[in-house]
Amino acid sequence: MLTYIDVHLIYTLPVIAVLALITWPFISRLELFKIAFVCTMAFVYTTPWDNYIIYHNAWMYKPKNILAVIGYVPVEEYMFFVIQTVMTSLWALVCTRWSPACFNFNFNKTSYTLIRWIPILVLALTAIQGYNIAIPGKDTFYLGCILWWSCPVIIFLWYGAGNYFVKKSTSTVIAIVVPTLYLCWVDRIALKDDVWHINEKTSLNIFVADDLPFEECLFFLITNVIIVLGSMAFDKSYGLADTYTFEFSLRYGTSWKYNSQQMRAFVTAECDMSPTPVNDIRHCLNVLKTASKSFNVASLVFPAGVRLHLIILYAFCRVTDDMIDSEPNVGMKKQKLMLIERFIGEIFADRSSDYNVKTSKSRKPEVDWQWYRQELTDEELSCFRAISRISFYLPRKPFYELIDGYRWDVNGKMVQNETDLLLYSSYVAGSVGTLCVYVMMYKSGVNIDDDARHDFVIRKAQQMGQVLQIVN
């Protein structure tokens, strides 16, 4: 005979272990924080509700099937609050992480308003009706309790992330349906084995399958909606901050100011923001897909924020390289090189040294965009604008090294020996390696305050770039 802890040991914890192995290559500190936060909120919010419905005998358990009770709730049930949240969150990560968050923003104000407010109105009415029918001892008690307990949370999450959730509807539906079906199957096994029992007097006695009450299916569906919607709320907030770096200027951290910024991002309607940064990023991704299918695929394992900014960095390096290489006229090559150098000078005009960066808060550089619109193609202009939005935390020296590499090409200088090869590789690839390290450090909230260690890390990044260039 199964016990409640057996259910976890056999059916839930192994699934978490498998999902943890699958997601391990691309799970970040931010993802861990997100899961921990959602787990905490689920535990805190569900604990009094579960005690309430067990107190009123909505469901029951045999003492021999549980380890202990805290309040009215078995210890294993408290464990389930966390286990389900972790399991569904990891599965949602597998399903939803593959496209940049900004591509799921809704900039249509009319549809945004309808998608936001119509479900909220329906949910509010449902919560009221649920409260009215949640009468202890009545057959609508369990159903009513589920409705009045869940709807306020969904309303809150939907207000900030409902449109984002809808734009990712295919992946979010899969993220919800699969764990719901699995947990319903596990629940049916446990009910048949009498691990716990749903009180016939406080439920509708409508069965979706043998021994599986409608309320149980609804509970798993709604709780998974809350978990996935909570995850999407995080993704939308961080995606907005990653995309609109000037409007949400604080770096990832644990400070109250930063968390306040993320709450502001959560309630911000994307339709009130300019679509230009997102369109620029689309151009950057198209550059990446066209120029390097291998890097495009490899970038998928990076955390969302890191991947987004690496796409921007790669696209800028690629379009500037193409501006030089694709121009047959030497005079025009030199003009384009001067344009690139002018742009780099403008976005780094406030820097006091080669590796001076602005990590505490973003700064909008003074750039004569009107002039660049006349000189650049739409794709080039998009990549220039995109790099300007993340330039505040990047050092200027690698960009000037990149320009030195372009100048080498413009002047038609040949690689004569190994020293030339290493120097050229350092200019055109070692510089990019350095910039990639800065992206990863900034987006991970990491600082290297020790000069010797900083120099060591940068040197290794440059060497990695050199090696890749030589192999290429």
Side-chain angles (χ1 to χ4, degrees), residues 89-121:
S89 296
L90 290 174
W91 174 246
L93 178 61
V94 172
C95 295
T96 63
R97 71 177 307 277
W98 306 108
S99 65
C102 60
F103 293 171
N104 299 289
F105 294 162
N106 183 1
F107 293 104
N108 185 299
K109 198 170 187 67
T110 301
S111 69
Y112 191 97
T113 303
L114 293 174
I115 291 171
R116 170 180 271 184
W117 289 109
I118 290 177
I120 286 178
L121 176 61

Side-chain angles (χ1 to χ4, degrees), residues 290-309:
T290 302
S292 179
K293 292 180 174 61
S294 59
F295 188 86
N296 180 44
V297 173
S299 70
L300 293 173
V301 302
F302 286 112
V306 173
R307 183 193 179 205
L308 185 67
H309 287 196

Side-chain angles (χ1 to χ4, degrees), residues 148-345:
W148 68 250
W149 166 78
S150 62
C151 285
V153 180
I154 299 176
I155 287 172
F156 172 74
L157 294 172
W158 193 268
Y159 178 84
N163 275 269
Y164 184 82
F165 181 89
V166 170
K167 291 283 280 187
K168 292 178 73 76
S169 57
T170 300
S171 57
T172 52
V173 166
I174 295 171
I176 291 166
V177 169
V178 171
T180 298
L181 292 175
Y182 180 74
L183 290 173
C184 285
W185 175 70
V186 173
D187 190 44
R188 185 185 175 199
I189 292 172
L191 287 167
K192 289 185 72 171
D193 220 20
D194 208 25
V195 177
W196 53 76
H197 179 73
I198 306 301
N199 190 347
E200 293 84 356
K201 294 181 180 179
T202 56
S203 64
L204 298 176
N205 292 304
I206 298 173
F207 294 88
V208 176
D210 291 343
D211 301 307
L212 185 61
F214 166 75
E215 290 90 344
E216 287 288 273
C217 293
L218 181 65
F219 173 80
F220 290 124
L221 175 63
I222 287 179
T223 50
N224 284 324
V225 166
I226 292 172
I227 294 166
V228 174
L229 191 52
S231 295
M232 294 302 98
F234 263 85
D235 293 347
K236 179 255 184 173
S237 299
Y238 287 108
L240 206 65
D242 286 334
T243 305
Y244 297 93
T245 54
F246 300 142
E247 292 81 0
F248 302 94
S249 59
L250 297 179
R251 182 186 188 183
Y252 167 71
T254 57
S255 68
W256 171 252
K257 284 186 177 181
Y258 177 78
N259 288 312
S260 297
Q261 171 184 275
Q262 294 311 105
M263 179 56 69
R264 180 165 60 88
F266 167 70
V267 300
T268 296
E270 307 96 277
C271 62
D272 294 333
M273 308 296 288
S274 168
T276 299
V278 177
N279 293 333
D280 290 343
I281 292 169
R282 288 189 189 277
H283 278 296
C284 290
L285 184 58
N286 288 336
V287 170
L288 173 61
K289 287 180 176 179
T290 302
S292 179
K293 292 180 174 61
S294 59
F295 188 86
N296 180 44
V297 173
S299 70
L300 293 173
V301 302
F302 286 112
V306 173
R307 183 193 179 205
L308 185 67
H309 287 196
L310 286 179
I311 289 171
I312 292 171
L313 175 61
Y314 180 94
F316 177 77
C317 295
R318 172 52 58 190
V319 298
T320 51
D321 185 54
D322 288 346
M323 286 169 65
I324 303 300
D325 289 346
S326 63
E327 176 56 59
N329 184 279
V330 175
M332 290 299 297
K333 282 180 183 284
K334 291 181 178 179
Q335 288 186 28
K336 290 185 176 183
L337 181 62
M338 290 174 61
L339 180 149
I340 296 168
E341 194 163 10
R342 169 180 168 170
F343 175 73
I344 296 301

Side-chain angles (χ1 to χ4, degrees), residues 341-361:
E341 194 163 10
R342 169 180 168 170
F343 175 73
I344 296 301
E346 288 179 350
I347 63 175
F348 294 111
D350 65 334
R351 303 302 172 86
S352 58
S353 64
D354 286 340
Y355 287 99
N356 172 243
V357 294
K358 311 291 184 181
T359 57
S360 59
K361 197 172 184 180

